[in-house]
Amino acid sequence: MRRLPIYFLIDVSESMVGDPISEVQDGIANIIQELKTDPRALETVFISIIVFAGEAKTLVPLQDIISFYPPKFPVGSGTSLGKGLGHLMFELRKNLVKTTAEQKGDWKPIVFLFTDGVPTDDSSTAIREWQSNWKKTANLVAVSLGDGADAHILNQLTENIIHLKNTDHSAYKEFFKWVSDSIKTSSESVENNKSGFELANLASANLEEMDVTKDSRGENTHKVDDNFVVISALCQNTRKNYLMKYKKVIKQSNFAGIELGTKSYRLNGAYQVDDTYKELSGNEEIKLTVNTDELIGAPTCPCCGNQIAFAVCQCNQIHCIGDEEVTTCPGCGNRGKYGAGTGGFDVNRTRG
Amino acid sequence: MNTTNDYIKKLLETKKKVINNSLLHEFSSDETYQEKVQTIIDIQNEIMANWEVRSRIIEFKNESVRVPNGTQNIEYSHTFDTSLIQKHQIISFDLDGLDELGLTFDKETGTLAGMPETSGNFKIKILFNVKGEGESAEQNEKLIDIVFNPDPKLLWKNIPSDTEAIFWKEENSSISDTLGEKSIIISSKRGRSHQNDGTFRDDDFAYKHFDENDWSVIAVSDGAGSASFSREGSKVACNEIISYFENEILPSKELDAIEAQLDEFSETKNETILTEAENEAKKVLYKAVLHAHNKINELAQQTFEENEALFNRKNTSYNAEYFHATLIVTAIKKTKIGYVILTFGVGDCPIGIVNKDKTEARLLNWLDVGEFGGGTRFITQPSIFHSKERPMVSRFNMHIQEDFSHLFLMTDGIYDPKFEVEANLEKTEKWLEFIDDLEGKNEDKIGIDFSAELPEAEAQLNNWMDFWSKGNHDDRTLAIIY
Ligand SMILES: [Zn+2]
Ligand SMILES: [Zn+2]
């Protein structure tokens, strides 16, 4: 029997924290549920999930649908597409069964790459390796979740770039339906000795093929994902990491006849993250800041419920404070009193 | 006394007060303050203990607890790992929400077991208490996922094909007959894949024993899954081979001439005569094959003229592409030097023979195989007639064998699950295993009694053809001469 290996390479950078990651998590679970109703897919499709942020990691090793158990998705800091691709190629090399005189090999693997942002690393080496070793031996579909992805970079990997325009719940639902339909048509296609790669029709208004020529950003390498500001903090009481996520809003204003856009970031939510956060975050020092004047809204601590999640120690550690008189910084151990700050100040942000 | 002193001192330090030692002594000697400090310490201890309990509960709630997937209607059993219980200082552990899943939990052994009645993703509730919680404490709850897979065999549908459709074909077909001293049984069945989609059987076969000169001809063909009229392509290919033998080859006595040469060889052992006979035989078979090719072309042209709208696929260059089918042919006769077996093959269907003593098997044709399925060839392709890499002449073979136990013609629906790869077709032991399997040495203990009356053997073969093989649900056609 020949396997049809399906790889999901999923961006779990901090901008995915909150709704996007739970949509992806539920989406993958739904794909598996859906494929279980198709006897053909159930017998031939094998699935693996690789996640990447600053680092990459195999979340689910290649396995059949019967043994698949829905995983919990982690998040990390950074969008290292290079490391994600590198890890994918490592898994492909390790797992793919080649056809020889003695055995029937796998069908051509299909890779679904989901990303919501621009790479924060220099991915060119990994992209070149993909082009020379894998572009012909695997089918890759790149999916931009929302408007954040860089079509120019994705286009170097594949001609199949899909744009998920809306990122609300129903759009995600339609999108994952399309993914499972595409897997089904492909598993049917291999059986008919066709190429084994047939994407389902893009019947939804939320999905379209991405037009690379219309992406205006050009080929500059971006080092930070500017659609979101994500701030990493430590809970004073539980010493757990949490993330505060702000989404970019551009407010158009007209000043003396001149069109002006003011950029600010609106609070999206605060989320506790577990130990995999550190594991998946790149460890190089980053010095990116955002001025608190640009941030709208302040959350409570998602770990302990402290009223203020956004206090900054002189060591730059962001942490939560409650109504205690003396606060201990969970980063450096400094004790001190906090007063309300006046005016904006710069705080470290992550790469998203 | 000491405790009170330490406590008040620490408090003053925290409040950044200047400490007056005699005043501190006075305070810590005072019984009222000693009691108050003790109360504070007790309360603190209680808060700390509660904090620990709450933390344990939260930690366990965040722990990923996994249970293996089960399958509908297959006995399920899983024993929880006790290290998790120890790690989180769990003092009581129970499960809830099992009734509707058909499971029970044995608290003594920590085993979850039962017979899952339905398939799907479900939640079960862990009820637990951690160290430090009182006897009467309410149980804490944690939800975990449990997955019951459907039984894959039950998912395959069997939808009849549309009898009104163009080139409709019966879903299953079989025959049994005698071929001189030998018997033949053939069965061809629509694959589960086509049953599931309500589409047609693409395989086909035809055979005929010509009483007047004792030749038998058998043809088997597999229509390409990607070609919309391949079911008709395979049918026409097989039928036209038989009819060309009947209407052209036998009346022209060409086979008689070849047989005379073989008789001469059996006496003289003159190899030149054998080679001549072989070349003549290949020419005869070539004409039959070319005839079949041309007939499909004619049909394709005619169908196109009548139903142009059906020829709507992109990237096709000729109409016969809609009729793509592989073809294997065997013409066989018992002569003075033994059985003469002429074969032809295009595509990936094997012809194999096993000797009378069952000590040696041979593959009589070579297969067109390619890495990603695109490597196979079809009788409908003009290119096979003038290919340099795979010369047409090499597709023909003449084999002489004194006697044999079984001669097989099969499509890849049989060859894929039973032989898996081409290399195994070269191995005698694989063919002997295949015969064992046919005789009932298989999971279901379903076999063919080759000494039974023909209709019975035919029925047994039909039954055997339904074997289960994961991922192999193509049409199946098997012809056995024995
Ligand atoms: Zn906190
Ligand atoms: Zn600090």
Side-chain angles (χ1 to χ4, degrees), chain A residues 36 43 66 68-69 104 191, chain B residues 69 145 149 193 416 471 473:
Chain A
K36 276 181 182 170
E43 293 187 15
I66 288 286
F68 192 91
Y69 194 87
K104 281 213 165 141
E191 209 170 55
Chain B
N69 294 353
D145 292 301
N149 293 313
S193 208
D416 276 343
H473 306 295

Side-chain angles (χ1 to χ4, degrees), chain B residues 225-239:
Chain B
S226 54
S228 30
F229 306 134
S230 63
R231 56 185 177 279
E232 189 67 6
S234 62
K235 183 176 163 186
V236 173
C238 293
N239 290 345

Side-chain angles (χ1 to χ4, degrees), chain A residues 188-219:
Chain A
E188 194 181 326
S189 162
V190 292
E191 209 170 55
N192 287 334
N193 279 326
K194 290 196 227 163
S195 71
F197 180 56
E198 273 190 36
L199 295 175
N201 289 331
L202 293 166
S204 154
N206 287 317
L207 284 171
E208 63 175 22
E209 280 177 54
M210 204 164 195
D211 187 350
V212 182
T213 56
K214 284 195 184 141
D215 193 326
S216 57
R217 281 171 305 199
E219 293 200 56

Side-chain angles (χ1 to χ4, degrees), chain A residues 123-150:
Chain A
S123 321
S124 57
T125 314
I127 290 174
R128 270 196 304 276
E129 193 191 337
W130 177 265
Q131 287 168 336
S132 54
N133 295 339
W134 293 100
K135 209 170 175 180
K136 284 203 176 68
T137 18
N139 294 301
L140 189 145
V141 187
V143 182
S144 167
L145 306 175
D147 303 326
D150 185 330

